[in-house]
Amino acid sequence: MKEQRLGIIDIGSNSIRLAVYERTANGAHRVIDGSKRPARLSGSIDDHGRLRPEKIDELIDIMNHYRLICAHHRTGYIRAVATAAIRNAANRDEIVERVQEEAGLTIEVLSGEEEARFGFLGMINTLDVREGFLIDIGGGSTEISLFRDRTLVQSVSFPIGCVNMSQFLAKDGTLSNQGLQELEEAVERTIRHEAWLSWTPGMPLIGVGGTVRALSKVDQADSKYAFPLTHNYKMTSERTDELFEQLRPIPTDKRNKFPGLSKDRADVIVSGLAILRCLFRKLQATHYLVCGAGLRDGLFYDTRFPNQPRMDDVLGYSVRNLSLLHPEAPQPHVMQVNRLAMQLFEHLSPKTELPERAYRLMDTASSLFRIGASIDYYQYAKHSFYLIVNSHLNGLSHREMVLVAAIASFKGKSRLRQQIAEFRELLEDKDLDYITLLGTLLQLAIALDRTETQSIGRLSIATVQGTLKLEALTSGSPLDVERAEVEELSKDFHKAWHLTPVLVVPNY
């Protein structure tokens, strides 16, 4: 599609959300606006299975509001989809027709399988995982998918959700022992015909949607977790059970004050977690993994990249997109530094202990070290650290994001300790040494292109009696500046690597 701005509206059973995506002039994508309105459509179905008229009016008001937001942003295309509440409503056609006539928007009513597929697409493009189960607990339905080798294998949609289960069994938001037993029996009856759910034990259960995100926010608030991100957050079954039992007996009017829990989720979180725990046991999963992306993200990828919506390299796409969002960094210089850094890494990495996936960490840091210049050139290292930590850098764990940010902005150990102080609980004992090694290596690569002219063509690297001999086999200039920069860095580099770098230039 050719439109530069795209609006995605997700009419869920619990809430209605809007995301406005922009494609920048140089090809990057970002969300420039978003909104969420609690609607509780699945809790407004009458005895005949029809969505109540007043709820249809409310839906139309919200859709008109979202259409105006999109118009304000000059959005070229709006894609609106509806899930279980409207899918299962007896007056579904009437709802779709009224929204078309009164809000001017066409609604796609997704099947359960389509909903699962788009949710999977949003997840698989933002997490570096190869296999597992994916679960999305909505207000009126729950989708479960099995994927292997990053490919969707099988999926199913069940008509149980946190809103309709709360309506039947936890009307005041609490769940008694009998109510919990009845809910779990209802889940067991609903899923018993899907035998494949128990065929592949021992894999992670990845959660998208409000229930799992709410769980992670409560856990992070309770543990005072240092990293400001729920995406790619790991939780154990024991911790989930503990929080569930804490929340279960608390009345809704008091639960909405629970740290980390939003008010619009307070009355349905217990039912949602009860469903989640029951299915976790059925799947015999190893742990929970929270995914901050989901249906809307999958719809974005499907709409923007219809020929190839699934990304093969999650981290690579994310790094390229983040780089393009900060075009102030001179790309020829960044590419040269990245090339030299990876050549140095391949030569030096066998000589010392480095963290798992050190190659990807080095590659990412040497591609993003300059993005902070979009804020201020003179302090770009500090700003690069902030941007990397607070950007959606998919494909890395929270610890790895801190490592990349610290490597990219490395200017010495004393400054490093200050930078990472608030994230120490995420890091391992040897991470300070790893950051120093890779950060110093990156600084050497930057020094080798200090004039930012990419003068060094071919570089030969050799280790000779405590010296790291860097011989420029071809160059487009005398390299006097680069040689001086390498010499200035040599003392710090020797402390880290026990090697003294020396730049040898061609004798033309």
Side-chain angles (χ1 to χ4, degrees):
M1 58 179 297
K2 298 179 181 179
E3 288 81 8
Q4 298 303 299
R5 290 180 179 173
L6 165 67
I8 300 290
I9 300 175
D10 169 17
I11 306 171
S13 302
N14 188 45
S15 59
I16 302 173
R17 296 172 180 262
L18 164 71
V20 180
Y21 294 85
E22 178 184 58
R23 183 179 186 272
T24 65
N26 57 353
H29 294 95
R30 62 185 174 189
V31 176
I32 60 170
D33 205 342
S35 185
K36 172 188 173 184
R37 293 288 184 88
R40 298 292 169 83
L41 299 183
S42 58
S44 301
I45 304 294
D46 65 19
D47 295 338
H48 302 287
R50 299 171 61 86
L51 185 64
R52 299 181 190 280
E54 62 271 19
K55 273 296 174 183
I56 301 177
D57 293 338
E58 181 182 344
L59 168 61
I60 291 170
D61 288 342
I62 294 172
M63 296 296 279
N64 272 311
H65 179 67
Y66 286 173
R67 181 177 54 80
L68 290 174
I69 291 175
C70 289
H72 169 73
H73 289 295
R74 299 185 298 278
T75 302
Y77 178 67
I78 301 173
R79 186 174 184 181
V81 303
T83 56
I86 293 180
R87 176 169 69 232
N88 299 328
N91 57 340
R92 178 177 77 175
D93 294 342
E94 174 196 343
I95 298 167
V96 172
E97 185 176 341
R98 282 197 59 191
V99 171
Q100 174 72 61
E101 292 177 354
E102 299 177 42
L105 292 170
T106 301
I107 296 177
E108 297 175 53
V109 180
L110 301 180
S111 67
E113 290 71 22
E114 288 173 324
E115 186 178 353
R117 180 170 65 86
F118 288 127
F120 167 76
L121 186 57
M123 180 278 297
I124 206 66
N125 280 348
T126 56
L127 285 177
D128 186 11
V129 289
R130 301 217 64 84
E131 62 180 15
F133 285 100
L134 177 67
I135 186 169
D136 184 358
I137 301 173
S141 69
T142 293
E143 285 71 44
I144 302 177
S145 302
L146 168 66
F147 65 97
R148 293 274 201 175
D149 196 26
R150 296 183 56 80
T151 300
L152 186 62
V153 175
Q154 198 161 359
S155 62
V156 64
S157 179
F158 300 115
I160 51 174
C162 60
V163 174
N164 57 18
M165 287 292 102
S166 294
Q167 188 178 18
F168 295 139
L169 298 169
K171 292 185 179 180
D172 62 348
T174 62
L175 195 60
S176 65
N177 289 337
Q178 181 179 349
L180 176 59
Q181 182 179 345
E182 291 178 10
L183 185 148
E184 292 180 343
E185 289 173 353
V187 173
E188 288 287 347
R189 286 195 304 272
T190 304
I191 68 174
R192 64 186 175 188
H193 297 298
E194 302 293 336
W196 60 273
L197 294 175
S198 58
W199 289 351
T200 50
M203 295 197 296
L205 178 58
I206 301 166
V208 301
T211 295
V212 178
R213 283 198 299 269
L215 169 66
S216 66
K217 289 177 181 177
V218 168
D219 186 41
Q220 290 185 350
D222 185 67
S223 63
K224 296 181 175 56
Y225 187 68
F227 202 79
L229 189 67
T230 57
H231 182 67
N232 208 3
Y233 183 67
K234 186 176 179 180
M235 290 190 65
T236 64
S237 60
E238 292 80 11
R239 180 57 176 159
T240 300
D241 293 344
E242 180 184 337
L243 289 172
F244 173 73
E245 293 301 342
Q246 285 183 32
L247 291 165
R248 185 157 72 102
I250 303 175
T252 298
D253 59 344
K254 294 183 179 179
R255 191 187 297 143
N256 59 23
K257 299 176 184 177
F258 202 90
L261 185 61
S262 63
K263 293 181 179 180
D264 63 338
R265 184 65 56 174
D267 60 333
V268 295
I269 182 66
V270 169
S271 295
L273 292 181
I275 297 169
L276 180 68
R277 294 167 69 245
C278 188
L279 291 170
F280 182 92
R281 293 192 297 267
K282 176 68 174 178
L283 300 170
Q284 302 176 66
T286 54
H287 61 274
Y288 298 96
L289 190 64
V290 181
C291 179
L295 178 65
R296 288 183 309 286
D297 304 271
L299 288 164
F300 163 74
Y301 290 113
D302 181 74
T303 308
R304 179 61 76 188
F305 309 107
N307 296 325
Q308 190 175 354
R310 194 188 72 182
M311 305 298 168
D312 293 327
D313 182 1
V314 172
L315 179 57
Y317 172 78
S318 188
V319 169
R320 286 191 298 275
N321 195 67
L322 184 56
S323 297
L324 292 172
L325 287 174
H326 300 279
E328 289 80 2
Q331 285 306 303
H333 172 58
V334 172
M335 292 172 65
Q336 174 78 342
V337 169
N338 173 255
R339 180 179 72 84
L340 295 172
M342 299 318 296
Q343 188 179 352
L344 287 165
F345 177 88
E346 289 178 357
H347 179 81
L348 291 171
S349 58
K351 305 179 188 304
T352 188
E353 179 186 356
L354 288 171
E356 186 181 5
R357 302 218 308 167
Y359 184 93
R360 295 306 303 265
L361 301 180
M362 190 73 242
D363 190 27
T364 303
S366 59
S367 299
L368 299 177
F369 75 96
R370 193 67 176 269
I371 61 173
S374 62
I375 299 175
D376 178 19
Y377 170 79
Y378 291 105
Q379 298 189 64
Y380 76 77
K382 179 181 74 173
H383 298 305
S384 292
F385 182 92
Y386 175 85
L387 288 173
I388 292 170
V389 166
N390 290 280
S391 295
H392 289 285
L393 195 55
N394 298 319
L396 296 177
S397 69
H398 294 182
R399 168 179 168 261
E400 288 175 330
M401 288 177 69
V402 175
L403 291 178
V404 165
I407 294 165
S409 59
F410 183 78
K411 293 293 183 182
K413 266 195 173 182
S414 59
R415 180 175 171 179
L416 170 64
R417 289 189 181 94
Q418 295 176 350
Q419 273 186 327
I420 64 174
E422 62 181 303
F423 304 111
R424 284 296 296 178
E425 67 180 78
L426 297 177
L427 302 177
E428 299 174 4
D429 292 339
K430 290 189 176 181
D431 282 347
L432 188 68
D433 294 331
Y434 295 152
I435 294 167
T436 301
L437 285 167
L438 296 180
T440 308
L441 190 154
L442 176 56
Q443 288 302 305
L444 179 58
I446 295 171
L448 289 170
D449 193 41
R450 179 61 183 85
T451 56
E452 302 186 10
T453 56
Q454 300 80 60
S455 292
I456 295 178
R458 292 170 54 212
L459 181 70
S460 170
I461 304 174
T463 303
V464 182
Q465 297 179 345
T467 298
L468 184 66
K469 184 181 178 182
L470 308 169
E471 184 175 2
L473 301 179
T474 60
S475 69
S477 70
L479 299 176
D480 292 340
V481 174
E482 282 75 13
R483 185 161 50 180
E485 289 286 322
V486 169
E487 185 176 346
E488 184 176 344
L489 182 67
S490 62
K491 185 177 179 180
D492 290 336
F493 191 88
H494 186 273
K495 285 181 181 178
W497 288 94
H498 306 295
L499 292 169
T500 301
V502 175
L503 177 58
V504 181
V505 301
N507 184 18
Y508 288 131

